[in-house]
Amino acid sequence: MQKTFTLKTDNHSDMINITVQLEQWIREENIKEGIIVVSSLHTTAGITVNENADPDVKSDMLMRLDEVYPWNHKEDRHVEGNTAAHLKTSTVGHAQTLIIQAGKLVLGTWQGVYFCEFDGPRQRKFHAIVLPAQHKNR
């Protein structure tokens, strides 16, 4: 079971909570158990799991990533000028692997799944695939 999702990002850098979209798809497909892999289809956008309660966590993360990877760096040679976005994506990662149990994502109390935009605003895609749980007969 797999699906490609689309979303429109509104900011140059952002973390968009996609947990609800993923869980809705899991419910619609009646997936009870398995492993889900969620992957960004872009070199300048990633997927991460982080706190979903305090919005300051998102802004702090984006601020710190900007400190480590400033948008304009005199040594950058990449013609498109978005080297910082590529570095941020490599740091955050392009994909996450999660567990589905009892029809829901297994996440901690404060965790959510985020699409991380580092070169927006843009029309973006992310892909999810579910590997069903295998049960051996004993």
Side-chain angles (χ1 to χ4, degrees):
M1 182 114 7
Q2 54 189 317
K3 179 176 180 170
T4 300
F5 297 81
T6 59
L7 59 86
K8 183 183 178 315
T9 64
D10 296 322
N11 299 305
H12 184 260
S13 292
D14 204 354
M15 292 175 63
I16 300 147
N17 192 332
I18 58 172
T19 311
V20 170
Q21 287 173 273
L22 293 169
E23 288 188 330
Q24 180 179 353
W25 177 60
I26 289 166
R27 276 192 310 275
E28 287 171 0
E29 297 296 329
N30 199 31
I31 301 165
K32 297 299 181 199
E33 288 186 342
I35 300 294
I36 185 170
V37 179
V38 185
S39 177
S40 166
L41 300 179
H42 308 279
T43 60
T44 58
I47 305 289
T48 194
V49 174
N50 214 305
E51 182 171 334
N52 67 357
D54 183 349
D56 287 337
V57 171
K58 287 179 11 178
S59 56
D60 288 351
M61 284 191 60
L62 293 171
M63 175 186 64
R64 292 299 189 88
L65 284 168
D66 283 340
E67 288 174 4
V68 174
Y69 305 117
W71 192 253
N72 295 308
H73 191 285
K74 63 182 178 170
E75 300 295 324
D76 287 348
R77 300 195 191 301
H78 184 52
V79 139
E80 292 179 22
N82 60 355
T83 297
H86 291 278
L87 290 165
K88 291 173 185 178
T89 299
S90 289
T91 298
V92 167
H94 79 282
Q96 292 291 315
T97 303
L98 302 160
I99 299 166
I100 301 169
Q101 190 172 51
K104 296 181 81 175
L105 291 173
V106 176
L107 292 167
T109 303
W110 309 111
Q111 288 182 319
V113 184
Y114 287 90
F115 182 91
C116 301
E117 173 64 79
F118 297 125
D119 194 20
R122 293 179 184 242
Q123 188 76 20
R124 296 295 201 168
K125 293 182 181 181
F126 62 96
H127 192 78
I129 186 166
V130 174
L131 309 169
Q134 300 293 319
H135 298 283
K136 288 186 175 183
N137 293 334
R138 295 182 183 205

